[in-house]
Amino acid sequence: MTDRIQALRLEGMKRFGFGPDVMKQTKVCRVCGGTADAAQRYCSDCGAELPRETLFDLYKSHHLSCTKCGTVVASTSAYCPECGTRLARRTPRPLRREVG
Ligand SMILES: [Zn+2]
Ligand SMILES: [Zn+2]
């Protein structure tokens, strides 16, 4: 269950206080879970090809974000706290939310 490991890792990073700017410059290796610079194409730990998505992209894909300015907002928000854009209550992709 590498997804779970990755989720835990992301959770840990949030606790360490990684802001959006740091997250935009960080990638996580899907194979070993190590972190890498966004400019890197291959993991320096295991040599696996790194995903194109940065941590910020992953984070956004798991949360609702403003279509105009990209700010990540709470799923219960009707308006963006940054620019006031009305947020559409639609999920771009059907995500499986079952835990297991
Ligand atoms: Zn790796
Ligand atoms: Zn916005």
Side-chain angles (χ1 to χ4, degrees):
M1 286 295 143
T2 50
D3 280 356
R4 227 168 84 191
I5 294 165
Q6 202 171 67
L8 284 173
R9 205 165 253 280
L10 289 173
E11 205 55 49
M13 283 176 174
K14 272 190 274 178
R15 283 195 204 134
F16 283 124
F18 276 31
D21 290 337
V22 176
M23 289 173 79
K24 279 176 195 170
Q25 290 164 37
T26 309
K27 285 179 183 178
V28 175
C29 175
R30 288 186 205 270
V31 177
C32 72
T35 53
D37 193 275
Q40 277 181 242
R41 294 181 64 184
Y42 297 93
C43 178
S44 54
D45 290 330
C46 73
E49 193 173 352
L50 293 165
R52 293 178 92 188
E53 298 87 16
T54 62
L55 264 185
F56 188 69
D57 292 325
L58 286 172
Y59 178 72
K60 280 213 305 186
S61 71
H62 287 271
H63 295 79
L64 188 68
S65 63
C66 174
T67 50
K68 195 173 179 186
C69 69
T71 297
V72 174
V73 295
S75 57
T76 50
S77 299
Y79 294 90
C80 173
E82 281 299 309
C83 70
T85 297
R86 196 186 154 89
L87 303 165
R89 291 288 192 83
R90 61 183 168 80
T91 42
R93 258 173 264 158
L95 292 169
R96 276 188 290 159
R97 305 213 66 147
E98 288 91 353
V99 180

